[in-house]
């Protein structure tokens, strides 16, 4: 039972991070390799707002969420916007540079020490006993619920929201979308904003649950196989991919060796790439062949 | 007939990849409420002209290098396509004219429409001219037949509430009766919405039946223009586009054209 709980929690973490990769890839075919760093920035933003809104945790969280949305939009407007129309590879390399820069900045500002935004906000994190014998910490439970809500929200938005449909349209044929009066920059900025927002929410919740160090980017990196296994352009795929990666990791820690935990996601990814390079739910022709 | 021009193209020149000049100094003018046909064989520069007007050139690394496009008194050459659409020009391109993974309804939802129109209005507008689309509402656009896809493309362009509708190769790959029906829809659209329409066609017959005015392009230049009825009666057009060859030996398009032209040249 505890094993199942662990799998669900880890999968939820990966899923919440992975949808950010998918959102940006889907509209612009760009892999955002700074996603892990942006997620960590979200967590540090919470640390910062916790200090400035001392005694008012709700305001601190709200401010951090709004700030992270703004960060995503600003990254697009000031950095990625210039890359529109350039080669995808150039854009991907830009995100690598951005990630490195952010990581350096965050260590400079907040140091590499373990920090606890939960304590700063005055939250306790008691474990909840689940029927069936498992236990889950409060923030892990909140994280699972948040992931479910985010995915539910994204599904509804992309299917029924006007801008959601526009995001999908722009992903399929940007030129025709522009010709239909859709402002591509607005669509891309929205994708970056939502992606950074959801990633930051993951970062904040992980930090609230188990503290914050500069090694959080590793989690972001491990969520990347989850997105890829699912096929990168599919939200359902990201969800299933996260479940596969999460399960593989938890089970190998339990039954083989805890040291495997950082390797397993990538082993699964490699196995996947050999068998089905377009991912479980991806579209076959989306691939640029090597 | 003294309506001011809605669209004026002057000495337009378009270059692909900084090397290939596809359009070399085309001038044309479209008055409000007209249906204008642009004719010409493959590679004449028809699509390039339409795409230059609607700002659709970007992705092919093409540029307007000379001349001007004026719409409603505003210069629009080299503007962004979404800006041009919001000014009132919508294009139905030759290929990739719908979003294949979106449903019919979603294809009608995605386009930008002026704020006071809601989704229901967009659907009503689409079904007003293409009732068939109502039956296909939740079908994925990529699965539609060529004719249905063309209807959807026209409908989704109409959602932008354009003053000027540009249609590239309405007849491409469609059965003649479908083409006739679609041409009739264009006339209906013009009649009921007052939309000005420019159609590009290889096959002149269908287009000239509904067009008030026509231009014939060749090698990126206008070689002939005139009122629809006059063009229909014109010898060259009859021979090459309507297939009513007068002589029994079927001469190639080019040789006859060359002959006519030299005759024009030498008087
Ligand atoms: N993307 C492109 N890159 C380079 N050259 C192009 C491109 N598109 C068109 N051309 C060239 O520009 C010229 C005009 O092409 P255009 O597509 O405008 O012709 P068209 O009159 O629409 O022909 P068709 O009836 O076959 O559609 C052609 O010589 C064509 O080879
Ligand atoms: Mg063409």
């Amino acid at each position: 039972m505890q094993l199942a709980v662990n799998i669900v929690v880890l999968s939820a973490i990966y899923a919440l991070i992975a949808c950010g990769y998918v959102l940006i890839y889907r509209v612009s075919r760009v892999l955002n390799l700074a996603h892990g760093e942006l997620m960590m920035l979200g967590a540090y933003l919470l640390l910062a707002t916790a200090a400035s809104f001392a005694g008012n945790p709700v305001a601190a969280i709200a401010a951090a969420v709004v700030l992270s949305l703004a960060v995503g939009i600003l990254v697009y407007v000031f950095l990625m916007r210039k890359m529109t129309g350039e080669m995808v590879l150039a854009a991907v390399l830009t995100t690598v540079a951005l990630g490195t820069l952010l990581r350096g900045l965050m260590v400079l500002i907040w140091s590499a020490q373990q920090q606890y935004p939960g304590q700063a906000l005055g939250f306790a994190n008691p474990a909840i006993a689940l029927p069936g014998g498992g236990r889950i910490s409060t923030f892990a439970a909140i994280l699972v619920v948040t992931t479910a809500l985010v995915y539910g929200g994204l599904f509804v938005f992309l299917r029924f929201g006007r801008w959601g449909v526009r995001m999908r349209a722009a992903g399929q044929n940007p030129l025709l979308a522009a010709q239909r009066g859709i402002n591509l920059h607005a669509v891309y900025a929205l994708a970056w904003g939502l992606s950074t927002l959801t990633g930051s929410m993951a970062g904040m919740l992980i930090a609230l649950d188990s503290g914050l160090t500069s090694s959080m980017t590793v989690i972001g990196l491990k969520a990347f196989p989850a997105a890829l296994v699912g096929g990168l352009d599919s939200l359902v795929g990201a969800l299933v991919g996260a479940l596969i990666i999460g399960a593989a990791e938890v089970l190998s820690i339990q039954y083989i060796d805890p040291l495997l935990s950082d390797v397993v996601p990538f082993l699964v990814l490699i196995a996947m790439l050999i068998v089905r390079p377009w991912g479980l739910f991806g579209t076959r022709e989306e691939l640029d062949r090597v | 007939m003294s309506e001011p021009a809605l669209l004026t193209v002057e000495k337009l020149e378009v270059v692909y990849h900084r090397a290939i000049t596809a359009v070399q100094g085309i001038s044309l003018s479209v008055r409000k409420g007209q249906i204008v046909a642009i004719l010409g064989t493959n590679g004449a520069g028809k699509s390039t002209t339409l795409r230059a007007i609607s700002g659709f050139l970007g992705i092919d690394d093409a540029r307007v290098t000379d001349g001007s496009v004026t719409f409603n008194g505003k210069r629009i050459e080299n503007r962004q396509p979404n800006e041009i659409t919001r000014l009132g020009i919508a294009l139905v391109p030759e290929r990739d004219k719908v979003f294949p993974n979106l449903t019919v309804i979603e294809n009608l939802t995605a386009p930008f429409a002026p704020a006071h129109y809601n989704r229901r209005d967009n659907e009503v507008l689409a079904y007003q001219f293409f009732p068939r689309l109502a039956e296909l509402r939740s079908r994925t656009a990529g699965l539609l037949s060529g004719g249905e896809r063309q209807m959807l493309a026209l409908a989704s362009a109409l959602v932008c509430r354009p003053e000027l509708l540009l249609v590239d190769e309405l007849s491409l790959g469609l059965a003649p009766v479908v083409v006739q029906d679609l041409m009739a829809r264009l006339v209906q659209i013009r009649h009921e919405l007052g939309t000005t329409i420019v159609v590009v066609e290889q096959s002149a017959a269908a287009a000239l039946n509904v067009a008030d005015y026509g231009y014939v392009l060749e090698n990126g230049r206008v070689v002939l223009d005139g009122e629809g009825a006059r063009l229909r009666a014109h010898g060259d057009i009859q021979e090459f586009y309507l297939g009513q060859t007068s002589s029994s030996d079927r001469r190639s398009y080019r040789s006859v054209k060359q002959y006519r032209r030299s005759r024009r040249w030498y008087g």
Side-chain angles (χ1 to χ4, degrees):
Chain A
M1 177 64 196
Q2 190 57 45
L3 211 57
V5 172
N6 291 350
I7 290 176
V8 168
V9 170
L10 190 63
S11 302
I13 289 175
Y14 288 154
L16 190 52
I17 303 170
C19 70
Y21 287 112
V22 172
L23 279 172
I24 291 179
Y25 183 81
R26 211 171 147 152
V27 298
S28 60
R29 296 286 169 272
V30 170
L31 279 178
N32 173 20
L33 293 179
H35 193 52
E37 282 78 9
L38 286 166
M39 155 188 137
M40 186 162 82
L41 180 61
Y44 277 118
L45 283 176
L46 181 60
L47 200 65
T49 56
S52 28
F53 291 88
N56 193 347
V58 176
I61 291 174
V65 166
V66 172
L67 278 175
S68 62
L69 179 70
V71 165
I73 293 173
L74 291 178
V75 165
Y76 176 74
V77 171
F78 287 106
L79 192 66
M80 301 314 294
R81 189 184 141 102
K82 310 226 169 17
M83 309 306 298
T84 331
E86 298 295 320
M87 280 191 320
V88 167
L89 182 64
V92 175
L93 290 179
T94 308
T95 67
V96 174
L98 172 69
T100 313
L101 193 76
L102 283 178
R103 215 177 316 144
L105 275 178
M106 283 186 280
V107 172
L108 271 181
I109 300 175
W110 286 291
S111 88
Q113 271 177 3
Q114 180 102 1
Q115 317 237 29
Y116 293 94
Q119 283 177 5
L121 288 166
F123 286 141
N125 189 14
I128 303 169
L130 293 172
R135 294 172 73 77
I136 186 171
S137 67
T138 311
F139 280 111
I142 292 177
L143 189 139
V144 173
V145 173
T146 305
T147 303
L149 291 178
V150 163
Y151 270 78
L154 282 177
F155 278 124
V156 171
F157 172 65
L158 289 173
R159 181 138 290 281
F160 303 108
R162 228 180 210 194
W163 279 97
V165 174
R166 284 180 183 156
M167 276 175 79
R168 286 160 62 210
Q172 285 171 41
N173 186 342
L175 194 58
L176 182 62
Q179 235 299 309
R180 289 289 165 266
I182 299 171
N183 185 341
L184 290 181
H185 291 307
V187 167
Y188 294 154
L190 181 64
W192 275 87
L194 287 178
S195 164
T196 307
L197 173 70
T198 51
S200 298
M201 281 161 70
M204 291 176 203
L205 287 165
I206 296 169
L208 286 172
D209 189 38
S210 51
L212 171 59
T213 63
S214 58
S215 64
M216 184 184 267
T217 52
V218 176
I219 304 176
L221 207 57
K222 278 156 71 183
F224 181 60
L228 261 181
V229 164
L232 256 185
D233 62 345
S234 149
L235 276 180
V236 182
L239 207 53
V240 175
L243 206 59
I244 292 175
I245 300 277
E249 188 173 332
V250 168
L251 292 176
S252 62
I253 291 174
Q254 176 80 16
Y255 294 112
I256 309 173
D257 188 335
L259 288 175
L260 279 177
S261 75
D262 285 353
V263 188
V264 165
F266 295 93
L267 288 180
V268 176
L269 175 63
I270 290 170
M272 190 69 203
L273 286 178
I274 292 171
V275 185
R276 236 181 110 92
W278 55 94
L280 282 178
F281 293 82
T283 353
R284 203 166 179 159
E285 54 279 329
E286 301 286 0
L287 285 189
D288 296 326
R289 303 256 159 212
V290 181
Chain B
M1 281 314 231
S2 55
E3 279 272 356
L6 178 67
L7 175 83
T8 316
V9 175
E10 257 174 278
K11 303 206 180 78
L12 184 73
E13 190 179 279
V14 182
V15 177
Y16 282 101
H17 310 297
R18 293 162 211 260
I20 308 160
T21 309
V23 165
Q24 346 193 350
I26 284 181
S27 298
L28 44 92
S29 138
V30 178
R31 284 203 302 271
K32 214 169 168 39
Q34 271 187 322
I35 295 184
V36 170
I38 299 181
L39 313 170
T41 47
N42 291 113
K46 309 179 299 288
S47 299
T48 306
T49 305
L50 281 202
R51 293 161 75 199
I53 295 169
S54 59
F56 213 65
L57 291 170
I59 225 157
D60 280 331
D61 188 25
R63 234 159 245 127
V64 174
T65 47
D66 201 9
S68 66
V69 181
T70 312
F71 177 70
N72 263 336
K74 289 197 194 76
R75 294 281 293 266
I76 58 165
E77 69 271 10
N78 285 329
R79 285 214 206 187
Q80 292 301 313
N82 58 316
E83 250 184 282
I84 293 178
T85 303
R86 288 174 196 218
L87 288 174
I89 301 183
L91 169 72
V92 175
E94 201 171 3
R95 285 166 280 134
D96 302 331
K97 54 190 92 182
V98 297
F99 300 107
N101 297 339
L102 300 188
T103 62
V104 166
I105 292 245
E106 288 169 340
N107 266 282
L108 297 173
T109 306
F112 162 87
H116 51 283
Y117 295 109
N118 62 27
R119 288 178 205 220
R120 192 67 216 134
D121 299 332
N122 294 343
E123 280 190 63
V124 168
L125 177 73
Y127 306 153
Q128 175 185 348
F129 299 101
F130 307 103
R132 172 96 182 100
L133 292 177
E135 301 159 33
L136 301 166
R137 308 168 86 236
S138 37
R139 184 83 56 90
T140 304
L143 302 177
L144 298 180
S145 76
E148 293 160 350
R149 196 175 306 200
Q150 191 66 278
M151 291 180 196
L152 179 58
L154 287 165
S156 83
L158 285 183
V159 166
C160 303
R161 305 303 191 285
E163 235 178 299
L164 174 64
L165 179 67
L166 310 173
V167 187
D168 199 349
E169 304 273 8
L170 186 81
S171 65
L172 196 70
L174 301 181
V177 351
V178 177
V179 176
Q180 258 181 15
D181 180 58
L182 288 176
M183 286 291 176
R185 297 293 162 217
L186 291 187
V187 174
Q188 188 194 351
I189 288 168
R190 189 251 306 257
H191 181 71
E192 290 174 23
L193 304 177
T195 314
T196 308
I197 299 173
V198 174
V199 281
V200 155
E201 275 298 329
Q202 300 229 14
S203 55
L208 286 180
N209 274 335
V210 300
D212 305 304
Y213 203 89
Y215 293 86
V216 181
L217 306 192
E218 195 185 315
N219 291 328
R221 293 199 174 82
V222 176
V223 290
L224 198 62
D225 68 301
E227 286 175 11
R230 296 227 344 244
L231 280 187
R232 231 178 350 253
H234 194 283
D236 281 359
I237 297 280
Q238 294 219 326
E239 245 169 327
F240 313 126
Y241 294 111
L242 303 183
Q244 298 157 349
T245 318
S246 47
S247 54
S248 53
D249 60 319
R250 297 186 61 88
R251 292 166 297 181
S252 82
Y253 164 76
R254 232 165 243 293
S255 66
V256 180
K257 190 84 199 169
Q258 219 92 49
Y259 164 66
R260 297 260 174 187
R261 205 191 280 150
S262 48
R263 208 178 50 177
R264 231 181 274 150
W265 244 243
Y266 303 126

